[in-house]
Amino acid sequence: MGLKHKDLLGIQDLSSEEIRLILETAEPMKDIIRRQIKKVPTLRGKAVINLFYEPSTRTRTSFELAGKYMSADTINISTSTSSVVKGESLRDTAKTLEVMGADIVIIRHSAAGAPHILSKYISASVINAGDGFHEHPTQALLDMFTIKEKKGRIDGLKVAVVGDILHSRVARSNIWGFTKMGAEVRVIGPSTLLPPGIEKLGVTPYTSIEEGLSGVDVIMVLRIQLERQQKGLFPTIREYARLFGVTPERAGLARPDALIMHPGPMNRGVEISPEVADSMQSVINEQVTNGVAVRMALLYLLAGGGSPHEIID
Amino acid sequence: MKLLIKGGRVVDPAAGINGENDILVEDGKISAVGNNLSVSGTAGGAETIDAAGKLVLPGLIDMHVHLREPGFEAKETIATGTRAAAMGGFTGVACMPNTNPVIDSRALVEFINSRAASEGLVNVYPIGAVTKGSKGEELAEIGDMKLAGAVGISDDGHPVMNAQLMRLAMEYAGMFGLPVISHCEDLNLVADGVMHEGYQSTVYGLKGITRAAEETMVARDIILAELTGARLHIAHISTAGSVDLVRMAKKRGLNITAEATPHHFSLTDEAVGNYDTATKVNPPLRGEEDVEAVREGLRDGTIDVIATDHAPHAVEEKDVEFNYAPFGIVGLETAVGLSFRELVEPGILTVEDLVMKMSVNPARILGLVKGTLKPGADADITIIDPDLKEKVDISRFETKGKNSPFGGWELKGLPVATIVGGRVVMRDRRLWQENDKIRNTSGG
Ligand SMILES: [Zn+2]
């Protein structure tokens, strides 16, 4: 069994079987990362392009390493460095990449739906590395992988996502993923940062962090952008930290073995206190490692790979 | 020059006619309506259109169209826009002033009139700006524009946010009997929203536009209209709340009218689908309950007019990320078919109601001596074949704008002839060229 679509535009489009397949495929990939020589020939001769319209060293590096560990030819194009992309329509860029022979294009864009345009005009596989407030599917996959690794399951867990849900593509992808995998999802944040109709996605919204965190198995903290305060969505960063910051006391309301997660980069002392970020329960660094493994799995599956065990030589 | 339209069902509410009749046109005017009319005693005879089984209506008027000229000729021109109107069965269109420059002076109204006279295939009625440059700062020369032929004033697309200025505009325009056509949206509430705010905007991660953005302005303008006694016309009403506000205002006896577009009575925000920029429009496509309310408003008379808000854009402008695409849907060539499919077919409107909303009421609101087929009236006539079916083929549109979400829709009930001042400009679903002869189709 492989993936049904040529692209990964969002977790919304994946079945739970497909999510399971990606997570299973990521396991042997993680073994490769742990080796002395982190290189397998699986994607030799494949061109993987990182097309980044929005700066993100973290995600771009993760995809780049994932491609390199699998021997793909990886190329980075970012709006600031490339004249090809500058001022050119996404449609024309897509056509250019198409004729250059790209096999997989990874796109990060500030406009929701940009990956959908790309996929319409290109026969290469498109991976959404974050589009506006829409989705960031590989982040959700690495989060699910991390939880499954630590907890042995996702089904039946209580997961709380804390922060700016309205503007978060990470939150949306995670909501789709966790609900598909049978977890109970809560979203916690100030009422001005909870999107309308969110309950219809099968989650429970909370404006009290104490209520929302009580008894959960996973606390996922989102980065708060300073820009939201400037737009008047909450009064001050100080008040946000006071009302919604994840402190040791608040984290203590969750189950004793609850995981602490954050997609990074963190504003320590704002949405998460340093003690929580560095606590024994924190898996924030492992999320980064797992990000590479999950992205390797995805590249492999989209490039047409079959059983994940074939790659272990 | 005579034209005889034989055997059609003439629906002319202003004349109290709804039944099989012939219509005789002479020198651009209706000269007779009745049974068994014939042309006698003329040397050349008359050309005849067999309208058996067809609806013969007073010419349809679309009171909300963006012809884009001057300034945005890549999107549309008066020539292409009026060709689209003719194809859509419209004998007249009122054009919005948000061109470049904005139509805010006598000279620019005259420019539209002269371009329309030389290039226009149907009647064009210019709407002037409320404020200079539609900047919302100072009143435009409304009186002078009225003298030049403006039929209303509107800062469509740039709502007048300053309530005092809107009040003054209403008081001032009232002096000339001009309707103030209001695009009701509070720009602070709209912010950078791109679609209806709700579940769909949450799923797609697009900034939403709350219903309140429209409703607060509808409420404000109704209150100002009550204060000033102005003739307020609410453009493209899109929410259930707005329909309620207008209904209440009418109950209180205020002189307020409202219009709805075919896209707002045909589609919900679900049509945005996978970021289809053809569905990006202002006000946005709303929820199911709003579509129901707009239909009910049309049925019970709260909404007086069907207008398209025809808003063409160049293909490359719409073929971009959803956030970056301009707002607007083209509507001239699908309006009649959609009205039949969504309103007449399900029994929400009768054909007579449709004539009221697409001809009689727009004429009355804009102060035009149109909307009837009584002898002596201008021979502006639309003939519709209620049984004709066609699939919407966007590539065949006359408008330059291809931004329609209705491609591939099966429509039934389509205009088959558009006659402007006695001159046939569209016949059998194609534009009529100068030298085309009207075939005598009787018996064939
Ligand atoms: Zn408007």
Side-chain angles (χ1 to χ4, degrees):
Chain A
M1 182 202 144
L3 297 175
K4 283 192 213 86
H5 306 286
K6 83 170 170 78
D7 310 308
L8 177 63
L9 303 181
I11 301 290
Q12 186 185 3
D13 310 322
L14 293 180
S15 65
S16 55
E17 290 76 37
E18 289 176 295
I19 294 172
R20 224 165 271 132
L21 172 69
I22 297 167
L23 300 186
E24 275 165 24
T25 311
E27 284 169 27
M29 298 301 177
K30 193 165 178 181
D31 297 336
I32 296 170
I33 302 171
R34 290 203 188 101
R35 290 184 194 167
Q36 276 295 328
I37 295 165
K38 307 180 198 38
K39 198 106 177 161
V40 290
T42 320
L43 293 185
R44 187 182 289 150
K46 297 278 184 190
V48 176
I49 295 176
N50 277 315
L51 181 60
F52 275 56
Y53 288 84
E54 221 183 38
S56 165
T57 315
R58 183 179 287 254
T59 305
R60 203 205 61 219
T61 308
S62 181
F63 269 112
E64 192 177 353
L65 282 175
K68 286 201 190 317
Y69 290 165
M70 303 182 79
S71 305
D73 295 311
T74 61
I75 291 156
N76 295 317
I77 305 174
S78 60
T79 38
S80 49
T81 58
S82 165
S83 61
V84 177
V85 174
K86 212 177 250 176
E88 188 180 58
S89 76
L90 190 49
R91 177 198 173 137
D92 287 340
T93 303
K95 296 202 157 154
T96 307
L97 297 178
E98 174 83 359
V99 295
M100 284 179 177
D103 295 294
I104 297 178
V105 181
I106 295 143
I107 179 173
R108 159 71 63 102
H109 202 293
S110 61
H116 302 69
I117 298 181
L118 192 62
S119 86
K120 203 165 80 179
Y121 291 114
I122 202 166
S123 57
S125 289
V126 173
I127 300 175
N128 180 359
D131 63 326
F133 311 139
H134 175 230
E135 281 225 38
H136 189 354
T138 57
Q139 179 69 43
L141 289 166
L142 77 88
D143 290 340
M144 288 189 276
F145 183 85
T146 306
I147 291 169
K148 193 160 169 266
E149 198 177 40
K150 294 287 167 188
K151 295 282 182 193
R153 68 192 169 108
I154 296 172
D155 188 37
L157 295 180
K158 291 189 173 80
V159 179
V161 187
V162 191
D164 179 0
I165 312 297
L166 180 62
H167 301 100
S168 176
R169 52 194 174 210
V170 174
R172 282 175 180 73
S173 286
N174 269 317
I175 289 168
W176 286 117
F178 286 122
T179 52
K180 280 173 199 261
M181 299 305 279
E184 179 194 322
V185 183
R186 305 169 176 192
V187 293
I188 306 168
S191 43
T192 47
L193 295 177
L194 293 174
I198 188 79
E199 317 79 31
K200 273 174 88 180
L201 285 170
V203 306
T204 317
Y206 289 86
T207 51
S208 155
I209 188 165
E210 285 80 12
E211 267 181 58
L213 289 186
S214 81
V216 299
D217 300 283
V218 176
I219 304 175
M220 184 173 296
V221 190
L222 300 175
R223 178 181 168 81
I224 190 84
Q225 308 271 3
L226 191 61
E227 185 197 333
R228 310 297 170 219
Q229 188 273 325
Q230 289 156 347
K231 288 209 163 165
L233 290 159
F234 54 89
T236 57
I237 291 284
R238 181 178 159 276
E239 175 154 317
Y240 181 85
R242 194 174 182 124
L243 295 181
F244 292 97
V246 178
T247 59
E249 302 74 57
R250 285 170 177 157
L253 298 169
R255 287 177 54 97
D257 59 347
L259 302 178
I260 307 288
M261 306 179 79
H262 192 298
M266 286 182 278
N267 296 303
R268 286 171 180 265
V270 182
E271 72 264 9
I272 188 166
S273 65
E275 302 93 299
V276 175
D278 300 331
S279 69
M280 294 296 289
Q281 288 161 262
S282 166
V283 291
I284 295 170
N285 286 330
E286 291 197 43
Q287 284 175 272
V288 178
T289 313
N290 291 342
V292 180
V294 161
R295 286 168 180 127
M296 288 170 74
L298 204 59
L299 292 176
Y300 172 74
L301 290 168
L302 289 176
S307 156
H309 304 287
E310 287 169 16
I311 53 165
I312 305 302
D313 47 331
Chain B
M1 169 68 200
K2 292 183 185 182
L3 177 65
L4 183 62
I5 301 166
K6 280 199 77 71
R9 178 178 152 208
V10 174
V11 182
D12 181 3
I17 293 175
N18 186 345
E20 201 170 298
N21 272 289
D22 302 338
I23 290 186
L24 183 64
V25 173
E26 278 181 279
D27 302 323
K29 305 271 184 196
I30 308 287
S31 68
V33 180
N35 286 313
N36 304 316
L37 293 185
S38 61
V39 197
S40 52
T42 32
E47 310 213 57
T48 304
I49 293 177
D50 178 5
K54 316 274 198 298
L55 301 165
V56 180
L57 315 175
L60 306 184
I61 298 166
D62 186 349
M63 67 176 289
H64 194 140
V65 169
H66 296 273
L67 291 178
R68 304 295 191 205
E69 187 177 348
F72 305 106
E73 289 83 356
K75 298 175 194 274
E76 192 82 291
T77 62
I78 289 172
T80 57
T82 55
R83 287 165 70 89
M87 278 305 296
F90 293 100
T91 57
V93 296
C95 60
M96 283 297 171
N98 61 336
T99 48
N100 186 21
V102 168
I103 308 304
D104 62 357
S105 69
R106 161 183 284 273
L108 287 156
V109 172
E110 284 172 349
F111 171 82
I112 300 290
N113 281 334
S114 80
R115 292 291 289 170
S118 63
E119 309 277 324
L121 208 55
V122 305
N123 298 314
V124 175
Y125 312 111
I127 293 168
V130 176
T131 62
K132 290 187 184 118
S134 284
K135 290 202 176 95
E137 291 163 2
E138 298 171 85
L139 291 183
E141 291 183 341
I142 295 167
D144 209 19
M145 288 195 287
K146 157 82 182 176
L147 293 172
V151 294
I153 55 167
S154 180
D155 276 357
D156 187 45
H158 310 276
V160 181
M161 285 294 288
N162 181 330
Q164 166 64 1
L165 191 60
M166 190 60 164
R167 172 201 174 172
L168 292 173
M170 287 187 184
E171 282 176 346
Y172 196 78
M175 180 164 66
F176 312 104
L178 277 178
V180 178
I181 302 169
S182 182
H183 172 132
C184 290
E185 273 192 314
D186 181 303
L187 297 177
N188 293 314
L189 283 170
V190 171
D192 36 10
V194 294
M195 71 175 289
H196 174 58
E197 180 181 292
Y199 172 73
Q200 299 291 340
S201 66
T202 292
V203 167
Y204 288 115
L206 294 170
K207 279 260 179 84
I209 301 174
T210 166
R211 294 180 177 95
E214 175 172 315
E215 291 160 3
T216 54
M217 285 293 257
V218 169
R220 182 200 78 171
D221 286 353
I222 287 172
I223 291 164
L224 291 176
E226 186 157 21
L227 174 71
T228 59
R231 282 180 51 204
L232 171 66
H233 177 79
I234 311 238
H236 41 55
I237 202 163
S238 78
T239 78
S242 299
V243 176
D244 278 342
L245 286 165
V246 172
R247 187 178 287 123
M248 285 191 306
K250 287 189 162 186
K251 271 200 188 123
R252 288 212 311 281
L254 301 186
N255 192 6
I256 286 171
T257 51
E259 77 193 22
T261 69
H263 48 269
H264 286 118
F265 66 64
S266 303
L267 292 173
T268 67
D269 58 346
E270 281 187 36
V272 172
N274 262 335
Y275 302 96
D276 179 3
T277 59
T279 64
K280 185 176 173 184
V281 68
N282 220 345
L285 301 176
R286 300 287 185 183
E288 191 68 50
E289 63 270 45
D290 299 297
V291 172
E292 283 310 313
V294 167
R295 291 173 180 229
E296 175 56 21
L298 283 161
R299 194 196 62 75
D300 74 4
T302 301
I303 302 172
D304 309 85
V305 170
I306 295 168
T308 65
D309 191 9
H310 177 81
H313 292 289
V315 172
E316 65 275 14
E317 293 175 299
K318 277 283 196 180
D319 198 6
V320 294
E321 294 83 336
F322 198 89
N323 279 335
Y324 309 156
F327 293 90
I329 289 176
V330 293
L332 284 169
E333 288 165 85
T334 47
V336 166
L338 287 168
S339 298
F340 270 83
R341 172 182 153 136
E342 301 294 326
L343 303 174
V344 177
E345 196 76 6
I348 295 167
L349 296 185
T350 62
V351 172
E352 198 159 307
D353 296 332
L354 198 67
V355 173
M356 292 301 292
K357 291 182 201 298
M358 297 186 83
S359 179
V360 180
N361 291 341
R364 177 174 52 86
I365 292 164
L366 300 176
L368 307 169
V369 189
K370 299 278 183 184
T372 181
L373 298 173
K374 284 179 200 162
D378 292 342
D380 290 358
I381 304 165
T382 301
I383 304 178
I384 289 172
D385 182 343
D387 301 315
L388 184 63
K389 284 187 200 164
E390 207 176 271
K391 223 176 211 172
V392 176
D393 180 356
I394 292 170
S395 70
R396 293 185 52 204
F397 278 179
E398 287 293 333
T399 170
K400 287 191 182 182
K402 309 300 173 200
N403 43 308
S404 167
F406 299 110
W409 279 42
E410 184 85 50
L411 301 182
K412 184 179 156 206
L414 294 157
V416 291
T418 308
I419 298 160
V420 181
R423 183 178 154 224
V424 177
V425 295
M426 186 276 280
R427 178 104 170 90
D428 297 333
R429 309 289 302 133
R430 64 189 189 89
L431 293 177
W432 208 254
Q433 306 301 325
E434 274 309 332
N435 47 2
D436 279 347
K437 277 270 174 280
I438 299 174
R439 285 157 295 163
N440 187 326
T441 51
S442 54

